Amino acid sequence: MQPPLTIRFEQRGAVAWITLNRPDAMNALSETMCAELRDVTERCERDPAIRVIVLTGAGRAFCAGADLKGVFESSAGDPGPSDPMGEFLDLVGGMMDRLRVCPKPTIAALNGLTMAGGLELAMACDLIIAAESARIGDAHANFGVFPGAGGAAILPRRIGATAAKYLLFTGDTMPARELVPLGLVNRVVPDAELVSEVEKIALRIASKSPLVLRRMKQVVADGLEQPQASALRLERLVLDAHRHSHDIQEGLAAFVGKRTPDFKGY
């Protein structure tokens, strides 16, 4: 199989590290990169040895957004019956949807500039850990482009409408640290410690039951769209199923026996 062209993949124990690898283009999302990200996410989902997925970038950017130059060139002239821009946007949206519903915990490790589609990609992950120098924003308005993968729909849910509209309307970037109190970024760490700190967090998560993590992620996602009473009923239904699992029995036995549990994910 031909190796990936625009991403690097490395498995470190139970953690998969996916590095966006177009540093000269500030890791802008191309058709090839989106297809590779979609495929590698699906591969990680199927691999029981992988329990956590980390996304980061090579060079000075996490991701500066979509490759507008490539999209513009492919859409220039008379498109005829084809719609290259529409096809590209479908590819981007499908890739991020795949990442968003991935049953395994995902972490965006922001090593640098994160804008527009890069911000949407980060928000498709469960956690966001940023380097001190990282700046984050939504630049769609700077180029007359409308967001299509969560910039206008998901960002207000994460940081509130007022803060989201500031980023959307101005196209400005903000230091990652300023977005911690708003709930977008979980932690900011020194640049030189980003990989080691994310690795510690990922390994700590990977030591937990894959089954309980998957079910927690499911109930959080589904419960947010429901009234509290309905979300609580959903939580109880999932618990009723979970209490018959191997992992809860193993976890309780390990607690009583004062040992480290050996979770299997079922």
Side-chain angles (χ1 to χ4, degrees):
M1 184 176 66
Q2 183 179 5
L5 301 174
T6 63
I7 64 171
R8 296 200 309 263
F9 175 84
E10 180 184 1
Q11 185 173 344
R12 305 180 191 175
V15 181
W17 283 77
I18 302 169
T19 302
L20 310 184
N21 193 33
R22 299 184 69 209
D24 293 342
M26 301 186 75
N27 300 319
L29 297 169
S30 64
E31 290 185 8
T32 301
M33 179 181 281
C34 289
E36 289 179 356
L37 281 171
R38 179 198 61 210
D39 293 347
V40 77
T41 300
E42 292 176 353
R43 193 175 84 200
C44 290
E45 284 185 26
R46 295 192 300 268
D47 189 343
I50 293 174
R51 296 190 174 186
V52 179
I53 301 169
V54 176
L55 263 66
T56 192
R60 60 192 182 94
F62 171 71
C63 176
D67 185 353
L68 295 178
K69 182 175 182 292
V71 172
F72 177 78
E73 289 175 346
S74 66
S75 301
D78 182 7
S82 66
D83 181 10
M85 182 173 288
E87 293 170 3
F88 174 73
L89 293 174
D90 287 344
L91 181 61
V92 173
M95 176 271 290
M96 292 194 192
D97 287 343
R98 179 73 267 163
L99 184 61
R100 197 174 289 115
V101 301
C102 175
K104 300 181 179 183
T106 55
I107 302 173
L110 308 187
N111 55 296
L113 188 67
T114 303
M115 297 178 65
L119 172 56
E120 292 171 326
L121 180 62
M123 290 194 298
C125 297
D126 298 310
L127 305 178
I128 299 177
I129 311 298
E132 185 73 49
S133 65
R135 295 188 66 87
I136 301 170
D138 186 282
H140 286 99
N142 295 344
F143 305 100
V145 178
F146 188 82
I154 296 176
L155 185 61
R157 296 170 184 246
R158 297 286 293 269
I159 66 175
T162 302
K165 283 187 282 190
Y166 178 84
L167 286 177
L168 288 166
F169 295 172
T170 65
D172 290 348
T173 61
M174 296 175 62
R177 187 168 296 282
E178 293 184 15
L179 292 166
V180 173
L182 296 179
L184 181 68
V185 176
N186 295 96
R187 285 182 58 192
V188 173
V189 300
D191 288 23
E193 298 175 18
L194 178 65
V195 171
S196 61
E197 288 300 311
V198 170
E199 191 161 38
K200 289 176 187 176
I201 295 169
L203 290 173
R204 193 156 69 245
I205 295 172
S207 71
K208 311 299 191 252
S209 159
L211 179 64
V212 80
L213 292 174
R214 181 169 72 247
R215 286 175 163 167
M216 284 177 172
K217 184 169 178 175
Q218 172 194 342
V219 172
V220 169
D222 294 346
L224 282 173
E225 304 301 322
Q226 302 181 27
Q228 179 174 291
S230 299
L232 286 168
R233 284 193 292 272
L234 173 62
E235 184 179 70
R236 181 56 192 267
L237 287 171
V238 175
L239 173 59
D240 285 345
H242 186 73
R243 63 191 177 90
H244 300 292
S245 68
H246 164 275
D247 279 5
I248 194 171
Q249 301 300 325
E250 168 62 14
L252 294 173
F255 175 78
V256 172
K258 298 182 179 180
R259 60 175 175 81
T260 301
D262 181 19
F263 295 123
K264 302 296 186 182
Y266 56 82

